Amino acid sequence: MRANYNHPTSIASGCLMSAAGAAIFLLLPLIVGTSISDRGLNTEQAGWLASSYFASYMLAGVSAYFWLHRAHWPTTSIASYILLSLGLAISGLSQNYSLMQAGLFVSGLGAGILFALGVSIISLSQKTDRNFGLVLVTQQLVAAGLYFSLPALVIAPWGYGGLCFALAVILGVLVVFQRWVPVADRQAQIDQQSPAHPSLHIWICLAGLMIYFAALSGVWAFVERMGDGALLSPSEIANALAISMIGGVAGGLLAAVTGSKFGRVMPILLATVIFYWVFFLLNGSLELSIFTLAVMLLSAAWNFVLAYQMGMIANNDQSKRSTVLMPAAQALGAMCGPALAGTLITGNNYQALLIFSAIALSIAVLPFVIGTNSAQAA
């Protein structure tokens, strides 16, 4: 009997695992900012701290390409939730910089497998554009709740350690939903092995996805510092970032509702233009209203376009194995982005970072636009 990947509980399990796997990335401004203000790290150290998490996240995604389709998915999800929470607890306990990195490295392994498993389930469902939109909505709702609650209730009294412990508990609790995780059936395993590998164009799209994440994650990792440099208060910054998650919900919902109704070229190009505008706003005078608008648009456009990018890769890959590599491509970009951003920032001057990100996005969009033109009906 084949697993029903279209059942609401299967889709819900994929959405929740993806949300757990994406939570650290979505909360990256808080993690980077708190590590600087509470643990005294400089921007370069904070960038490498984030990159240590995404290094293991990437390794988990790459390794999952070879074994995830043969694993027992419910058991795998339990082990991954444990790794995610354990690593966060280790990083929160540690005052030593190397141990902080090691903890996030362990956490990244669990998060990377969770995200890979979540998107694998969604990619095997029908209406992938809509369902990937639901994935993104779930991620943003979880992150929005954390942004609204953690700064005042946890970070203010307990700093970086409290933030990591709170995340370890909250994300670990999601393990109770592992009973919804479908078991990979043998026919799905056979389908994923024929043909054995994704096409050249899929690999190019994965490279484009990686560059996209490198460009945007560098900006996202330090956007809290941009607000701090503009003399916004911690509560103002936290509220703006929480509102940005609402923007992400709107972007994911828009993708879920419209699907491929207008093709994929127009949404991808529209989002890219919005990113350029966001970089222009962030490079100017950051009053609270402008900062809030910029981060909200950044999150909305990112989640809107990502649903189409992931849907396009999933729909045009006959091997059905590239979906496991999407988290790895995202993680490779997210690993490079903050580390590179930390070297491009001089004091409170972020212009070099924003220019780099704009150029990188211009390159990253090409394989998706070209591929979409050749596969409009996918």
Side-chain angles (χ1 to χ4, degrees), residues 6 25 32 34 55 140 147 209-210 261 265 283 290 348 356:
N6 298 301
F25 175 78
V32 168
T34 306
Q140 300 300 307
Y147 268 117
L209 190 62
M210 183 272 292
K261 189 180 301 183
V265 169
N283 194 47
I290 294 176
N348 285 327
F356 161 78

Side-chain angles (χ1 to χ4, degrees), residues 306-320:
L306 185 56
Y308 289 98
Q309 291 171 329
M310 296 174 74
M312 176 183 168
I313 292 173
N315 284 340
N316 288 292
D317 178 28
Q318 295 182 356
S319 74
K320 296 301 180 186

Side-chain angles (χ1 to χ4, degrees), residues 10-23 26 57 114-123 125 127-143 248-249 251-253 255-256 303 306-307 310 326-327 330:
S10 296
I11 295 172
S13 71
C15 289
L16 289 171
M17 283 188 290
S18 298
L26 292 174
Y57 195 106
L114 282 172
F115 195 88
L117 182 53
V119 299
S120 293
I121 292 171
I122 298 301
S123 69
S125 67
K127 300 179 181 179
T128 52
D129 285 328
R130 185 203 67 178
N131 290 336
F132 276 126
L134 294 176
V135 165
L136 298 170
V137 168
T138 305
Q139 292 173 1
Q140 300 300 307
L141 287 174
V142 170
V249 171
L253 278 176
N303 285 275
L306 185 56
M310 296 174 74
M326 286 193 285
Q330 294 170 10

